[in-house]
Each structure stands twice: as structure tokens, then as C-alpha cells.
Amino acid sequence: MMSFVSLLLVGILFHATQAEQLTKCEVFHKLKDLKNYGGISLPEWVCTAFHTSGYDTQAIVQNDDSTEYGLFQINNKIWCKDDQNPHSSNICNISCDKFLDDDLTDDIMCVKKILDKVGINYWLAHKALCSEKLDQWLCEKL
């Protein structure tokens, strides 16, 4: 009985800490404000988000001297601020943990700043994987 309760508790805790995985269509519709921003089509954004984070809004990637957060893997060295890098330029004027939820409003605001300052090549996946044959990244249903 005790092992069953322990197993049940582990299962509940594991489920509670799992990342929020969006679907292609959810991402497509949530990114509508980015459509054609900076000349980048919506399918290009959907593809880039997939190859950057796998549509995982809680994705965190630790690098040697920086960390990247959220759906767009926004870096704490330049764009946002966290405890690891308190002297960040924080160009987006935001705490990095704000990129780890399903509300993509602040993510999109920062993505536009990144695009305006350094362009789409900030996301390495874009040029290599998301500049042609984009029909597979369309989603017309909600």
C-alpha cells in the first residue's frame, strides 16, 4: 500500500512539472501577430519555433555562459534578465521566466525587438530549415 501511494505521488508530481507542449496549430494561431513581421511569413515562424524549442513553452537550454528560454529560446545575456546573468543588457526589459508560460504576448514583443535589431538569423534553424517548402507548417483549423 505504501509503495502504491508513493508511486501515485510521483506520478502526480511528474505530471505537474511537465512542460507545456503546444501543437502546430496552437502555435500557428498564437503567432498571428508575427505574420509577415519583418517579411517573415507565419509558416516560417511556426517552423522556426518547432526547430528551436519543439513548441515547448517551458524549454530551457543551458549554455556555457548563458541560458535560453521558452518557445523562441530567448537568451539571458542580451534580451532578458535572470539570476544567472544579472548584468544582462535586458533589451526586452523583462524577466526571462516570463518566456516560460503559455501567454506568448511578451515573447512576441521581444521577438519583434530581436528581429528589428539583429534579424531572423538570430534563430539559426530558420535559414537551414525554414526558408523553403513551408506548406507543412500551415494550419487553417483552430
Side-chain angles (χ1 to χ4, degrees), residues 6 11 29 72 74 91 95 100 106 108 122 126-127 130:
S6 298
H29 290 284
F72 293 103
I74 297 172
I91 292 172
S95 174
L100 300 176
D106 41 24
I108 290 170
Y122 173 81
H126 179 267
K127 185 175 184 181
C130 303

PDB file of all heavy atoms in Angstrom, residues 6 11 29 72 74 91 95 100 106 108 122 126-127 130:
ATOM      1  N   SER A   6       3.257   6.028  -2.808  1.00  0.00           N
ATOM      2  CA  SER A   6       4.474   6.702  -3.260  1.00  0.00           C
ATOM      3  C   SER A   6       4.494   6.817  -4.780  1.00  0.00           C
ATOM      4  O   SER A   6       4.845   7.856  -5.331  1.00  0.00           O
ATOM      5  CB  SER A   6       5.712   5.939  -2.797  1.00  0.00           C
ATOM      6  OG  SER A   6       5.766   5.911  -1.401  1.00  0.00           O
ATOM      7  N   GLY A  11       3.783  10.072  -9.709  1.00  0.00           N
ATOM      8  CA  GLY A  11       3.053  10.294 -10.954  1.00  0.00           C
ATOM      9  C   GLY A  11       2.379  11.649 -10.988  1.00  0.00           C
ATOM     10  O   GLY A  11       2.401  12.352 -12.000  1.00  0.00           O
ATOM     11  N   HIS A  29      -1.818  29.737 -34.552  1.00  0.00           N
ATOM     12  CA  HIS A  29      -2.822  30.746 -34.201  1.00  0.00           C
ATOM     13  C   HIS A  29      -2.318  31.737 -33.155  1.00  0.00           C
ATOM     14  O   HIS A  29      -2.663  32.912 -33.203  1.00  0.00           O
ATOM     15  CB  HIS A  29      -4.122  30.071 -33.772  1.00  0.00           C
ATOM     16  CG  HIS A  29      -4.809  29.415 -34.929  1.00  0.00           C
ATOM     17  ND1 HIS A  29      -5.509  30.117 -35.881  1.00  0.00           N
ATOM     18  CD2 HIS A  29      -4.852  28.124 -35.325  1.00  0.00           C
ATOM     19  CE1 HIS A  29      -5.968  29.292 -36.807  1.00  0.00           C
ATOM     20  NE2 HIS A  29      -5.575  28.068 -36.492  1.00  0.00           N
ATOM     21  N   PHE A  72      10.862  30.544 -28.121  1.00  0.00           N
ATOM     22  CA  PHE A  72      11.810  31.123 -29.069  1.00  0.00           C
ATOM     23  C   PHE A  72      13.252  31.079 -28.574  1.00  0.00           C
ATOM     24  O   PHE A  72      14.134  31.637 -29.212  1.00  0.00           O
ATOM     25  CB  PHE A  72      11.425  32.570 -29.379  1.00  0.00           C
ATOM     26  CG  PHE A  72      10.140  32.680 -30.138  1.00  0.00           C
ATOM     27  CD1 PHE A  72       8.970  33.051 -29.502  1.00  0.00           C
ATOM     28  CD2 PHE A  72      10.087  32.395 -31.496  1.00  0.00           C
ATOM     29  CE1 PHE A  72       7.782  33.157 -30.195  1.00  0.00           C
ATOM     30  CE2 PHE A  72       8.901  32.495 -32.201  1.00  0.00           C
ATOM     31  CZ  PHE A  72       7.744  32.873 -31.543  1.00  0.00           C
ATOM     32  N   ILE A  74      14.946  32.596 -26.075  1.00  0.00           N
ATOM     33  CA  ILE A  74      15.464  33.953 -25.932  1.00  0.00           C
ATOM     34  C   ILE A  74      16.566  33.958 -24.874  1.00  0.00           C
ATOM     35  O   ILE A  74      16.377  33.476 -23.758  1.00  0.00           O
ATOM     36  CB  ILE A  74      14.319  34.931 -25.601  1.00  0.00           C
ATOM     37  CG1 ILE A  74      13.334  34.947 -26.787  1.00  0.00           C
ATOM     38  CG2 ILE A  74      14.853  36.313 -25.296  1.00  0.00           C
ATOM     39  CD1 ILE A  74      12.061  35.703 -26.561  1.00  0.00           C
ATOM     40  N   ILE A  91      17.525  43.945 -23.166  1.00  0.00           N
ATOM     41  CA  ILE A  91      16.951  44.824 -24.180  1.00  0.00           C
ATOM     42  C   ILE A  91      15.421  44.754 -24.202  1.00  0.00           C
ATOM     43  O   ILE A  91      14.752  45.749 -24.444  1.00  0.00           O
ATOM     44  CB  ILE A  91      17.554  44.522 -25.572  1.00  0.00           C
ATOM     45  CG1 ILE A  91      19.030  44.923 -25.563  1.00  0.00           C
ATOM     46  CG2 ILE A  91      16.795  45.228 -26.685  1.00  0.00           C
ATOM     47  CD1 ILE A  91      19.813  44.521 -26.792  1.00  0.00           C
ATOM     48  N   SER A  95      11.896  39.882 -17.259  1.00  0.00           N
ATOM     49  CA  SER A  95      12.489  38.734 -16.581  1.00  0.00           C
ATOM     50  C   SER A  95      12.359  37.516 -17.505  1.00  0.00           C
ATOM     51  O   SER A  95      11.304  37.289 -18.094  1.00  0.00           O
ATOM     52  CB  SER A  95      11.749  38.478 -15.268  1.00  0.00           C
ATOM     53  OG  SER A  95      12.223  37.294 -14.675  1.00  0.00           O
ATOM     54  N   LEU A 100       8.344  31.526 -20.100  1.00  0.00           N
ATOM     55  CA  LEU A 100       8.102  30.111 -19.806  1.00  0.00           C
ATOM     56  C   LEU A 100       6.639  29.786 -19.566  1.00  0.00           C
ATOM     57  O   LEU A 100       6.313  28.756 -18.986  1.00  0.00           O
ATOM     58  CB  LEU A 100       8.945  29.687 -18.583  1.00  0.00           C
ATOM     59  CG  LEU A 100      10.451  29.836 -18.752  1.00  0.00           C
ATOM     60  CD1 LEU A 100      11.161  29.482 -17.451  1.00  0.00           C
ATOM     61  CD2 LEU A 100      10.959  28.981 -19.898  1.00  0.00           C
ATOM     62  N   ASP A 106       4.306  38.550 -24.331  1.00  0.00           N
ATOM     63  CA  ASP A 106       5.621  39.136 -24.058  1.00  0.00           C
ATOM     64  C   ASP A 106       6.714  38.493 -24.905  1.00  0.00           C
ATOM     65  O   ASP A 106       7.676  39.157 -25.296  1.00  0.00           O
ATOM     66  CB  ASP A 106       5.976  39.075 -22.567  1.00  0.00           C
ATOM     67  CG  ASP A 106       5.581  37.775 -21.902  1.00  0.00           C
ATOM     68  OD1 ASP A 106       5.445  36.742 -22.592  1.00  0.00           O
ATOM     69  OD2 ASP A 106       5.409  37.781 -20.669  1.00  0.00           O
ATOM     70  N   ILE A 108       6.332  37.490 -28.013  1.00  0.00           N
ATOM     71  CA  ILE A 108       6.193  38.116 -29.328  1.00  0.00           C
ATOM     72  C   ILE A 108       6.766  39.527 -29.314  1.00  0.00           C
ATOM     73  O   ILE A 108       7.438  39.954 -30.249  1.00  0.00           O
ATOM     74  CB  ILE A 108       4.722  38.087 -29.801  1.00  0.00           C
ATOM     75  CG1 ILE A 108       4.324  36.647 -30.130  1.00  0.00           C
ATOM     76  CG2 ILE A 108       4.498  39.013 -30.996  1.00  0.00           C
ATOM     77  CD1 ILE A 108       2.844  36.440 -30.374  1.00  0.00           C
ATOM     78  N   TYR A 122      19.036  35.422 -35.996  1.00  0.00           N
ATOM     79  CA  TYR A 122      19.202  35.114 -34.568  1.00  0.00           C
ATOM     80  C   TYR A 122      18.829  33.650 -34.331  1.00  0.00           C
ATOM     81  O   TYR A 122      19.448  32.963 -33.536  1.00  0.00           O
ATOM     82  CB  TYR A 122      18.321  36.043 -33.723  1.00  0.00           C
ATOM     83  CG  TYR A 122      18.293  35.685 -32.261  1.00  0.00           C
ATOM     84  CD1 TYR A 122      19.332  36.080 -31.415  1.00  0.00           C
ATOM     85  CD2 TYR A 122      17.242  34.944 -31.721  1.00  0.00           C
ATOM     86  CE1 TYR A 122      19.324  35.748 -30.069  1.00  0.00           C
ATOM     87  CE2 TYR A 122      17.235  34.611 -30.378  1.00  0.00           C
ATOM     88  CZ  TYR A 122      18.265  35.013 -29.555  1.00  0.00           C
ATOM     89  OH  TYR A 122      18.246  34.677 -28.222  1.00  0.00           O
ATOM     90  N   HIS A 126      16.177  28.890 -38.700  1.00  0.00           N
ATOM     91  CA  HIS A 126      15.394  29.490 -39.776  1.00  0.00           C
ATOM     92  C   HIS A 126      16.038  29.306 -41.140  1.00  0.00           C
ATOM     93  O   HIS A 126      15.429  28.775 -42.062  1.00  0.00           O
ATOM     94  CB  HIS A 126      15.128  30.973 -39.518  1.00  0.00           C
ATOM     95  CG  HIS A 126      14.356  31.593 -40.630  1.00  0.00           C
ATOM     96  ND1 HIS A 126      14.975  32.231 -41.686  1.00  0.00           N
ATOM     97  CD2 HIS A 126      13.026  31.618 -40.890  1.00  0.00           C
ATOM     98  CE1 HIS A 126      14.053  32.638 -42.538  1.00  0.00           C
ATOM     99  NE2 HIS A 126      12.863  32.285 -42.077  1.00  0.00           N
ATOM    100  N   LYS A 127      17.262  29.744 -41.288  1.00  0.00           N
ATOM    101  CA  LYS A 127      17.916  29.677 -42.604  1.00  0.00           C
ATOM    102  C   LYS A 127      18.090  28.232 -43.068  1.00  0.00           C
ATOM    103  O   LYS A 127      17.833  27.898 -44.224  1.00  0.00           O
ATOM    104  CB  LYS A 127      19.273  30.384 -42.565  1.00  0.00           C
ATOM    105  CG  LYS A 127      19.936  30.463 -43.918  1.00  0.00           C
ATOM    106  CD  LYS A 127      21.207  31.277 -43.867  1.00  0.00           C
ATOM    107  CE  LYS A 127      21.800  31.410 -45.256  1.00  0.00           C
ATOM    108  NZ  LYS A 127      23.041  32.178 -45.234  1.00  0.00           N
ATOM    109  N   CYS A 130      13.883  26.499 -42.455  1.00  0.00           N
ATOM    110  CA  CYS A 130      12.565  27.138 -42.538  1.00  0.00           C
ATOM    111  C   CYS A 130      12.456  28.229 -43.595  1.00  0.00           C
ATOM    112  O   CYS A 130      11.661  29.155 -43.464  1.00  0.00           O
ATOM    113  CB  CYS A 130      12.199  27.713 -41.171  1.00  0.00           C
ATOM    114  SG  CYS A 130      12.199  26.494 -39.850  1.00  0.00           S
TER     115      CYS A 130
END
